[in-house]
Amino acid sequence: MQFHPNELMLIYDSATNNGKQTKAYAYSVSNHVNDIDYNRTKVSKLMWKEIINMLNIPPKRLLNKALPKYQEKVRGHAYTMDGWLNVLYNNPDLIKAPIVIRNKKAVLCEKPSDIFKLA
């Protein structure tokens, strides 16, 4: 992924309070925000792979394990990286928090103020 040095990318669910608050913080931090609501816009598998690499966490940590859909579809399965990419691509609603990317660094914003970890 190529980014402008001042660009901040937000990948989030616009229907959640955490998503709305993180978006507000994003626009207070940068004038150049590329916000992607993953329920309206598909994030490619390649992009998910790059995001996972930037976050440097296992893909499973991106998911909300308390959701019934997670319990039905994901729990108890051993996935390869390609399997996790399919889960993220096909079930973005399982992601537990917004993801913010700036200057090839990414943060999972479990609290909206986590966005400041990029500063």
Side-chain angles (χ1 to χ4, degrees):
M1 281 185 282
Q2 292 282 10
F3 297 108
H4 185 275
N6 296 329
E7 181 182 23
L8 189 141
M9 179 176 276
L10 171 66
I11 301 166
Y12 75 117
D13 180 353
S14 64
T16 66
N17 285 335
N18 190 13
K20 291 174 190 174
Q21 291 173 353
T22 304
K23 182 179 178 180
Y25 275 116
Y27 278 95
S28 74
V29 169
S30 176
N31 292 329
H32 306 283
V33 178
N34 180 3
D35 58 288
I36 300 170
D37 180 348
Y38 51 69
N39 289 315
R40 294 185 183 149
T41 305
K42 281 279 198 190
V43 177
S44 73
K45 291 178 189 178
L46 178 61
M47 191 167 169
W48 279 121
K49 187 172 185 173
E50 289 190 38
I51 291 167
I52 291 165
N53 289 335
M54 283 188 264
L55 287 168
N56 197 28
I57 61 173
K60 189 175 187 175
R61 277 215 39 228
L62 293 174
L63 305 178
N64 184 346
K65 296 176 182 97
L67 293 173
K69 187 175 180 181
Y70 175 90
Q71 299 296 323
E72 292 171 20
K73 296 191 176 216
V74 181
R75 184 175 177 227
H77 291 82
Y79 291 106
T80 62
M81 177 55 82
D82 196 44
W84 283 115
L85 296 174
N86 283 326
V87 169
L88 291 166
Y89 180 78
N90 292 309
N91 304 284
D93 54 317
L94 292 177
I95 297 169
K96 67 179 168 183
I99 300 165
V100 180
I101 302 167
R102 183 182 221 170
N103 293 328
K104 298 183 183 178
K105 295 180 185 175
V107 172
L108 181 65
C109 295
E110 295 186 60
K111 298 178 300 201
S113 60
D114 286 347
I115 195 171
F116 297 117
K117 292 178 181 178
L118 288 176

